[in-house]
Amino acid sequence: MSNKIYDVNLQDGVAVITVDAPPVNTITAAVRSGLEAALDEVEKLSGVKAIVLACKGSTFFSGADIGEFSGPPKEAEYRHLFARLENQNVPVVAALFGTSLGGGYEITLACHYRIANARTRIGFPEVNLGIIPGAGGTQRLPRLIGAEKALEMIVSTKMVDAKTALEYGAIDRIADGDVNAAAVEYARELVAAGKGPRRTSEMNVAPETATPEIFAAAEATAKKLYPNRIAAQTAVKSIRTATEKPLNEGLLVEEKLGNESKLTPESKGAIHVFFAERATRKVTDIPADTKPRAIAKAGIVGAGTMGGGIAICFANAGIPVTVLDTSDEALKRGLGVLEGTYDSMVKRGRLSPEDKAKRMGLIKGTTNYADLSEADVIIEAVFENMELKKKIFAELDKVAKPGCVLATNTSTLDVEKIGAATKRPQDVIGLHFFSPANVMPLLEIVRTPQSSAETIRTSVELAKPLKKTPVLVKICYGFVGNRMMEPYGREAERMVMEGATPREVDTPMEKWGMAMGLLAVYDMAGVDIGINVHKANADQYPIDPTYYQAEVALGEHGRYGQKSGKGFYKYEKGDRKRYDDPEAIAIIRKRASELQIPQVPHTEEEVVERCLYPLINEGFKILEEGIVMRAADIDVVWTSGYGFPRWRGGPMHYAEAIGLKKVLDGMNKYKDRFGPMHWEPSKLLVELATSGKTIAQWEKARG
Ligand code: NAD
């Protein structure tokens, strides 16, 4: 193929249009104009009896270009191209493989026949982005597969595999082997059988799939799955249009609803996070030409919860990793847990036994530091203890090869002080994984004043094979995520001390959109973890005798959360549910009375404000201190590591969405009630809220 984005090749009466737009054949403006040009070429050829639409590379069209969402609407361009495909007067066959989402599959609905290889997956993720399928999906899909299945696919956003797609009628055939060759064969068969174009636009939605009951059920599901959000309901409305109007009119309704949905807070929030995640790799203050070092081998010190999870990340990436612990026994235990994680993946059909064996083959255990001498990166994940970590870094300094990145997974300790135990502080950095490390996408990368540009670049790039979202931060207590969690947890616990039940604090936050209420999170992680962190770092917190006292009181009664069957809630064996527990409430009330904390009622609104405003306020302090490069990085930390709803855009985006003045007024309201110790607004929040400047304007002026 030339350097054109497409190629047209006439194979014995079948005109094959092949698009090659790496990495994933996104339907960008260039791809659309390439396809228009390809159709120009095809229309000039003589003897064309059928057309095949195919792609080269790793997947058929993966989807529309989300980069265009913030620009002018592109629906008219899509409509023109798709109508042109659909109106061809010879059969048009789409050859699917890989993963086709949204626009990537909608283009096939404008073709006449669809063939896919067995591993193909299709789906409509739009409502997760606060929008609706806007390239004909809500109009053509119900015509092709019926409204009921179209509603299910679009509202659930779940991908379906080729087998299910065939059952639904979303594809016509599954190909063995090379799907592009099979599509040409299929086109020839159609021609031989005298089959002409089969246009989706000329089909009617099967009435039995579009009854009022079916639509009512879809609406109910949309409301239930997405409380506080409307995109899914808008999609249902748009699909209903397909049952009422001809395609051309329906497409205009879809466009109107689609453009309205792009203006909703949920779409702005989700799309903000989408771009924020893609921007975190940009490091603004190191030379642009800094090259990352190659990472071919890794080492880990500590085969515990985190060390094991991190080892899995490396093995999954195909990078051999050596794990060191103090004794064979500790290694056996740690590697056993690690293997158990793989076993459960095999059991759930998420990993083949062969792949498990391959990955386990990349993981070696050792008790000897010399075995880490070939590693390009070594991550320390031993107990949270400064002296121990310093000792280990001094050991690593002796054995690690020059240029090896020496990283610590500490959650609270000063990475610079740990690095000072070596003679190469330029190679030292924090790589803060979250638990479970093989699942959670967030990776906070903690640079010290000495970390070299190369160490930083290498660490940021390492996130890619490990499938992590990196956020580069500077040293401060708790870094970004845990530091902002601190005032959130303080208020959550304080409110239960003021008489709210744990559920009365957790439920409003879950309704608001948090993946899980914080007190339930504490129970899951272990109430003792919080107690120990607060005890070990008492000097970091304000002197407040009521500070985090609910957990202390629970801990005194052996209530450590799920692992002990009771914490803020109680738990029953074999069941993941949490139950209200009068005993926990009594323990907390007793402590509250000893501390003379007045008992007051709490509205849901107050719960949400008292949890979120101090969290946001801390975010502003982090921004003003220059701990992060961009406010959007804070949003990524919270959406990828702390269950903050993506459609709310992360705490900083959310603050602007509701208005910084509102946040500031909220802070001041509680400052009047509780005093300044915990409620002093950050200077930056005050500055922006009173001047009316946006965060983006402030960032631009700061440079
Ligand atoms: P863990 O107790 O599960 O594991 C620690 C491991 O280190 C154990 O296997 C222990 O045998 C080993 N170890 C202790 N001393 C050692 C030494 N001298 N040499 C080699 N190995 C030694 O702890 P964890 O939960 O995995 O935490 C490890 C680190 O990660 C801590 O710094 C912690 O703050 C941090 N962290 C933990 C979490 C979490 O949720 N657990 C999340 C982020 C960061």
Side-chain angles (χ1 to χ4, degrees):
M1 198 179 288
S2 69
N3 58 5
K4 269 193 320 197
I5 216 163
Y6 71 89
D7 176 65
V8 172
N9 176 13
L10 187 62
Q11 297 178 21
D12 205 8
V14 179
V16 182
I17 300 173
T18 310
V19 170
D20 183 13
V24 288
N25 292 312
T26 304
I27 308 184
T28 56
V31 166
R32 289 195 298 277
S33 61
L35 283 167
E36 293 274 4
L39 288 172
D40 290 343
E41 280 185 34
V42 170
E43 285 164 9
K44 280 191 207 122
L45 296 172
S46 55
V48 173
K49 297 196 187 80
I51 298 170
V52 164
L53 179 61
C55 286
K56 250 188 142 176
S58 60
T59 179
F60 187 71
F61 298 110
S62 58
D65 181 1
I66 296 184
E68 290 179 345
F69 284 13
S70 47
K74 294 289 190 286
E75 282 80 359
E77 266 184 44
Y78 273 97
R79 264 203 312 278
H80 181 271
L81 173 65
F82 286 10
R84 207 173 157 196
L85 267 175
E86 189 166 43
N87 291 333
Q88 294 295 317
N89 49 26
V90 294
V92 182
V93 179
L96 290 92
F97 63 103
T99 306
S100 282
L101 300 176
Y105 174 70
E106 284 170 299
I107 193 169
T108 76
L109 294 170
C111 300
H112 306 142
Y113 302 90
R114 285 150 289 274
I115 180 169
N117 80 5
R119 288 186 308 281
T120 307
R121 293 192 303 166
I122 62 175
F124 291 90
E126 283 84 350
V127 304
N128 275 333
L129 285 173
I131 55 175
I132 65 170
T138 66
Q139 303 305 302
R140 285 194 177 91
L141 187 66
R143 285 180 160 82
L144 186 70
I145 68 170
E148 189 171 16
K149 294 285 181 236
L151 286 162
E152 186 187 310
M153 283 186 75
I154 291 173
V155 171
S156 76
T157 75
K158 286 203 183 109
M159 285 196 261
V160 298
D161 59 13
K163 193 162 151 270
T164 311
L166 185 68
E167 273 165 32
Y168 285 7
I171 58 171
D172 300 294
R173 198 180 265 203
I174 295 180
D176 294 328
D178 176 9
V179 73
N180 291 356
V184 174
E185 260 325 291
Y186 187 23
R188 289 213 175 98
E189 263 178 51
L190 290 165
V191 173
K195 297 254 172 81
R198 189 188 53 172
R199 301 186 179 100
T200 319
S201 58
E202 290 165 4
M203 300 175 185
N204 288 318
V205 181
E208 70 279 10
T209 68
T211 62
E213 293 74 27
I214 287 172
F215 273 97
E219 258 161 32
T221 307
K223 283 188 190 149
K224 183 160 173 259
L225 282 182
Y226 309 96
N228 307 315
R229 293 193 261 176
I230 60 162
Q233 293 172 59
T234 309
V236 174
K237 196 162 147 193
S238 193
I239 294 168
R240 194 193 298 274
T241 307
T243 68
E244 297 164 347
K245 293 185 189 298
L247 184 88
N248 283 338
E249 287 178 38
L251 287 177
L252 294 178
V253 173
E254 181 188 86
E255 175 170 355
K256 181 172 169 288
L257 293 174
N259 284 334
E260 282 167 13
S261 71
K262 283 184 199 157
L263 301 175
T264 57
E266 71 193 77
S267 133
K268 289 193 169 158
I271 289 174
H272 165 77
V273 173
F274 181 90
F275 287 112
E277 282 178 348
R278 274 148 193 80
T280 62
R281 286 195 166 79
K282 265 185 244 147
V283 184
T284 42
D285 61 354
I286 62 171
D289 57 357
T290 309
K291 296 265 178 303
R293 298 184 196 133
I295 302 287
K297 284 189 181 156
I300 292 173
V301 184
T305 311
M306 296 308 288
I310 299 167
I312 291 179
C313 296
F314 279 103
N316 289 353
I319 301 173
V321 54
T322 302
V323 186
L324 180 145
D325 211 303
T326 43
S327 64
D328 289 338
E329 203 190 345
L331 269 179
K332 198 166 157 225
R333 184 180 33 81
L335 297 182
V337 172
L338 184 162
E339 183 160 15
T341 306
Y342 276 135
D343 284 338
S344 82
M345 286 167 74
V346 172
K347 214 158 125 201
R348 282 178 288 143
R350 304 221 345 248
L351 187 73
S352 69
E354 298 75 47
D355 281 342
K356 178 205 145 180
K358 232 188 261 166
R359 293 180 196 187
M360 282 302 294
L362 291 170
I363 303 172
K364 302 252 171 323
T366 186
T367 52
N368 184 354
Y369 275 89
D371 290 337
L372 301 179
S373 63
E374 285 178 17
D376 301 297
V377 56
I378 301 174
I379 301 174
E380 165 279 310
V382 304
F383 308 134
E384 189 76 338
N385 177 301
M386 180 56 95
E387 289 319 307
L388 178 61
K389 291 196 193 253
K390 276 189 179 162
K391 216 178 92 201
I392 286 169
F393 271 71
E395 279 306 315
L396 293 177
D397 197 19
K398 287 186 213 149
V399 296
K401 69 181 192 189
C404 173
V405 172
L406 300 179
T408 170
N409 186 47
T410 180
S411 319
T412 52
L413 302 174
D414 184 333
V415 183
E416 190 180 5
K417 287 193 186 134
I418 297 173
T422 72
K423 289 188 209 67
R424 42 174 127 175
Q426 73 281 2
D427 293 328
V428 175
I429 201 155
L431 289 178
H432 187 209
F433 291 77
F434 289 74
S435 182
N438 53 312
V439 176
M440 294 296 288
L442 178 61
L443 178 64
E444 275 183 337
I445 300 180
V446 188
R447 66 198 281 181
T448 77
Q450 287 85 32
S451 304
S452 71
E454 257 191 25
T455 302
I456 292 171
R457 174 53 59 212
T458 306
S459 302
V460 170
E461 292 308 315
L462 175 62
K464 222 183 263 174
L466 299 186
K467 297 208 161 60
K468 299 294 170 205
T469 307
V471 176
L472 185 62
V473 307
K474 288 188 181 154
I475 294 175
C476 64
Y477 179 72
F479 313 129
V480 172
N482 288 344
R483 175 168 164 186
M484 289 169 72
M485 180 111 126
E486 189 64 31
Y488 171 19
R490 178 197 74 220
E491 287 307 303
E493 290 207 14
R494 170 80 199 197
M495 284 186 277
V496 296
M497 299 281 275
E498 291 166 4
T501 66
R503 199 175 292 277
E504 281 165 353
V505 173
D506 279 348
T507 302
M509 295 310 293
E510 286 165 2
K511 276 204 213 157
W512 180 85
M514 283 290 191
M516 201 181 199
L518 189 55
L519 302 173
V521 171
Y522 286 165
D523 273 359
M524 193 176 66
V527 174
D528 50 325
I529 291 194
I531 298 172
N532 293 339
V533 167
H534 287 119
K535 208 189 273 171
N537 301 283
D539 58 334
Q540 301 282 345
Y541 308 113
I543 299 169
D544 169 359
T546 70
Y547 198 74
Y548 276 94
Q549 283 305 301
E551 65 187 26
V552 171
L554 292 173
E556 285 166 7
H557 290 79
R559 302 186 70 104
Y560 295 130
Q562 287 188 19
K563 63 185 165 195
S564 55
K566 52 190 186 170
F568 283 91
Y569 299 89
K570 71 177 169 191
Y571 301 86
E572 278 169 18
K573 272 224 162 67
D575 155 1
R576 289 185 157 199
K577 275 221 275 270
R578 48 191 201 247
Y579 298 89
D580 294 330
D581 188 359
E583 196 183 297
I585 294 167
I587 290 168
I588 295 169
R589 297 238 161 111
K590 181 160 177 281
R591 180 58 47 92
S593 136
E594 287 158 11
L595 292 164
Q596 297 177 0
I597 297 174
Q599 301 295 290
V600 289
H602 300 81
T603 62
E604 294 204 349
E605 190 189 6
E606 177 178 339
V607 170
V608 173
E609 287 180 354
R610 282 180 61 186
C611 289
L612 289 179
Y613 291 168
L615 180 161
I616 292 168
N617 190 52
E618 201 64 38
F620 275 97
K621 287 189 196 164
I622 284 171
L623 193 58
E624 101 196 355
E625 289 168 23
I627 300 293
V628 287
M629 291 179 287
R630 298 163 280 260
D633 290 349
I634 298 176
D635 291 332
V636 173
V637 166
W638 272 80
T639 49
S640 61
Y642 290 81
F644 199 98
R646 294 171 71 87
W647 60 274
R648 295 270 194 200
M652 307 309 279
H653 175 92
Y654 173 72
E656 290 208 296
I658 61 169
L660 298 186
K661 170 116 186 4
K662 185 169 174 184
V663 178
L664 178 60
D665 289 348
M667 287 297 293
N668 284 329
K669 176 171 81 181
Y670 293 109
K671 182 176 158 185
D672 288 346
R673 187 165 143 200
F674 295 108
M677 181 190 285
H678 300 307
W679 291 95
E680 199 58 68
S682 101
K683 282 197 218 70
L684 181 58
L685 174 62
V686 174
E687 179 193 330
L688 298 186
T690 49
S691 68
K693 254 197 266 165
T694 63
I695 295 174
Q697 286 166 338
W698 176 81
E699 286 183 332
K700 203 162 166 219
R702 177 195 58 172

